[in-house]
């Protein structure tokens, strides 16, 4: 799958992924009003409004970017109607030719991780039929439980031509509380990086491994170290834009050939219409504002490569 | 919520939680046959079969135990039909007066953890209406992202009288890969334990905090250390039975008064009918086998307290 992602990155000249992380409060009033009319003050309204919001944005950006990254929490919070829209969004993005990175950050003991892996990037078997639970191409994985929590995802990558990004150094302010602590003189995130190499070693898909890493844009010095430490791991970089990462800070995450990293922006794209910079589009044309924000982001990132 | 859990533990004299972690392969043939008839080889069959399986077990055990712990992965793997049964199972258990511990192991950056917390133990607001996404009383939380990934759950505990169990030392064989590594001479799990105390300090509910900890039954020496280290944290202990933990090994997880820990068994209870010990019940009476297995587990654990 990572080779498919890389092809699409090259084809679109855009090492960029759009985070589809809709909050109800992000959605323009004309959409929520229509949803309230249909479903009143229920979770159905959240589901319907998010779906209409996502769909317009996807329609405006699918030709510009290789991938999208729906954050499942933003759907899961709205219960079953939310999960239905997660599923619908993933399927719609795949129809549009996008690689879908499910930002699920799952990780558990072996047998349970196997269930998550089967459900999100693998298959489950009912009778003699193999079925998919959800339809992502790649998912994010939490490594705190160690190898037996991660390897079921690696196995699913091998069997089903899928990928994972393992959390190594996250973008949030308190990520250092545990991740930066020194173990034998090395920060914990370097130990996790070494494991990423190990887990990915026999799971290559061209130049890069199906096992990639998450390294936040907000920690560029660590990004530089981790880029060298994991030469075969693609790096998913959250934290650009709303969380504070700048294009200049992103250079260290890429290899010399301009590959090796893909940068995510969520609020910066899907809420572009709320920014001064894009307010000329107006709330009705929120998705055109998102399109312009994607074009600007691609230019911004390519300017440092 | 932790005081409610403790009351129920005392009332039923059972520091025991039943893990509702159904795999399709665990379910007796008469149930899967009926589901196949209705839904053929679809995810709907998994959903229907798991629901019938769960319901019979819940009906047989609800009067014996204070709580159940559905592992969401086992439902999520079957996509939307699986999630519907998760929701239905949680609601049914609450109707039966059980405390429901959602084993979700979520954890993300602050705004995303907030969405998970709102969705599982809090509320979301649509218009002027506060609604619940899912209906658990307590959830498990992964600490790898540090305080800002955990505190939104703590806030939800305070506002909504709910609880969390933070993963400190998990029961799986490779949990030591990161969790046991020494930081300033102390294993990482002890650092997490110190944070559990900090997060839980202003979130007391009687003698114990709403912020508890997960410590696997498979590491009793660490259990003894962690019991002393986190005097106000209730400990959820997975790993008894199928994963290898014995009653004798559980003693260190409890305080002198017999409180402070609740022990989970999943496969050992829900698949009891497949064990030699309970085979006399027969496949049709699988739920009676589960009932007997719960009675035996309660006796076993109380024998060391």
């Amino acid at each position: 799958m990572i080779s498919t992602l890389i092809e699409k990155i090259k084809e679109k000249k855009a090492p960029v992924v759009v985070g589809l992380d809709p909050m109800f409060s992000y959605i323009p009033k004309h959409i929520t009003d229509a949803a309230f009319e249909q479903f009143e003050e229920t979770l159905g309204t959240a589901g319907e409004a998010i779906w209409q919001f996502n769909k317009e944005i996807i329609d405006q950006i699918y030709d510009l970017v290789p991938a999208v990254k729906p954050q499942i929490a933003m759907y899961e919070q709205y219960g079953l109607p939310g999960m239905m829209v997660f599923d619908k969004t993933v399927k719609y993005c795949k129809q549009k030719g996008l690689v879908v990175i499910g930002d699920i950050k799952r990780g558990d003991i072996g047998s349970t991780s196997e269930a998550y892996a089967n459900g999100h990037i693998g298959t489950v078997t009912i009778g003699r039929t193999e079925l998919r639970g959800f339809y992502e191409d790649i998912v994010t994985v939490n490594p705190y439980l160690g190898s037996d929590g991660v390897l079921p995802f690696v196995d699913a990558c091998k069997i089903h031509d899928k990928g994972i990004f393992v959390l190594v150094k996250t973008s949030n302010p308190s990520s250092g509380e545990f991740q930066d602590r020194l173990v034998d003189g090395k920060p914990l995130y370097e130990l996790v990086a070494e494991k990423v190499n190990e887990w990915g070693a026999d799971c290559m898909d061209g130049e890069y491994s199906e096992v990639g890493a998450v390294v936040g844009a907000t920690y560029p010095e660590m990004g530089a170290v981790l880029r060298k430490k994991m030469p075969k791991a693609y790096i998913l970089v959250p934290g650009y834009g709303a969380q504070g990462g700048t294009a200049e800070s992103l250079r260290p995450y890429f290899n010399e050939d301009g590959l090796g990293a893909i940068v995510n922006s969520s609020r910066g794209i899907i809420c572009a219409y709320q920014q001064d910079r894009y307010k000329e589009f107006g709330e009705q044309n929120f998705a055109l504002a998102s399109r312009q924000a994607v074009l600007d982001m691609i230019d911004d990132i390519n300017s440092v490569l």
Side-chain angles (χ1 to χ4, degrees), chain A:
Chain A
M1 179 52 63
I2 197 70
S3 65
T4 306
L5 179 65
I6 293 169
E7 263 167 49
K8 287 179 194 282
I9 289 171
K10 286 179 180 168
E11 178 196 318
K12 297 184 175 171
K13 296 189 180 61
V16 162
V17 52
V18 172
L20 296 173
D21 309 352
M23 295 287 287
F24 194 72
S25 59
Y26 294 174
I27 303 175
K29 194 166 172 301
H30 68 280
I31 292 182
T32 54
D33 279 354
F36 276 122
E37 204 145 303
Q38 212 179 335
F39 295 99
E40 301 180 334
E41 296 194 348
T42 66
L43 296 174
T45 284
E48 172 64 12
I50 290 172
W51 166 243
Q52 296 301 338
F53 181 67
N54 279 356
K55 187 174 175 302
E56 279 198 57
I57 292 174
I58 296 160
D59 286 345
Q60 284 299 335
I61 59 128
Y62 79 92
D63 58 321
L64 302 178
V65 293
V68 288
K69 181 175 74 65
Q71 165 54 260
I72 199 169
M74 298 304 167
Y75 304 83
E76 199 169 310
Q77 68 180 323
Y78 298 117
L80 295 174
M83 293 302 289
M84 282 179 212
V85 176
F86 176 79
D87 184 50
K88 208 161 154 181
T89 298
V90 170
K91 287 173 176 162
Y92 188 71
C93 291
K94 286 173 64 91
Q95 276 173 31
K96 291 284 186 182
L98 292 157
V99 170
V100 179
I101 303 168
D103 198 353
I104 64 173
K105 294 190 180 66
R106 304 301 195 244
D108 209 297
I109 66 166
S111 53
T112 307
S113 272
E114 194 182 331
Y116 280 130
N118 289 343
H120 285 277
I121 55 170
T123 58
V124 290
T125 304
I126 303 295
R128 280 152 307 186
T129 306
E130 279 191 44
L131 299 162
R132 294 206 59 176
F134 294 101
Y135 286 79
E136 300 102 306
D137 299 306
I138 300 177
V139 291
T140 56
V141 173
N142 184 310
Y144 187 65
L145 283 85
S147 292
D148 58 27
V150 176
L151 289 173
F153 288 96
V154 177
D155 289 342
C157 289
K158 290 181 195 166
I159 299 167
H160 301 284
D161 184 24
K162 301 289 175 183
I164 59 173
F165 290 110
V166 177
L167 305 187
V168 172
K169 172 67 188 170
T170 56
S171 59
N172 56 314
S174 68
S175 68
E177 260 174 37
F178 304 123
Q179 297 166 24
D180 294 3
R181 300 306 295 265
L182 297 184
V183 175
D184 298 336
K186 276 189 294 199
L188 180 62
Y189 60 75
E190 285 195 38
L191 260 74
V192 179
E194 287 164 13
K195 282 286 171 186
V196 164
N197 289 338
E198 192 185 309
W199 295 325
D202 64 341
C203 200
M204 295 297 291
D205 180 29
E207 292 292 297
Y208 288 91
S209 171
E210 299 287 22
V211 180
V214 173
V215 183
T218 40
Y219 301 101
E221 287 131 53
M222 298 172 189
V225 171
L226 290 166
R227 174 66 288 160
K228 291 204 182 78
K229 192 115 198 162
M230 302 179 289
K232 299 299 179 193
Y234 232 78
I235 298 180
L236 171 64
V237 190
Y240 170 86
Q243 286 182 56
T246 64
E248 202 43 61
S249 66
L250 294 171
R251 185 69 198 85
Y253 297 79
F254 289 87
N255 282 319
E256 294 301 313
D257 55 3
L259 294 173
I262 184 162
V263 181
N264 180 75
S265 179
S266 301
R267 271 169 291 171
I269 304 297
I270 67 174
C271 299
Y273 81 96
Q274 295 177 336
Q275 295 173 39
D276 277 350
R277 186 171 175 189
Y278 302 110
K279 70 172 178 219
E280 86 230 46
F281 286 95
E283 204 170 292
Q284 289 282 338
N285 297 314
F286 69 96
L288 289 174
S290 294
R291 182 177 176 85
Q292 189 57 51
V294 168
L295 288 166
D296 293 344
M297 179 180 172
I298 293 170
D299 279 352
D300 188 35
I301 287 167
N302 283 335
S303 74
V304 300
L305 294 185

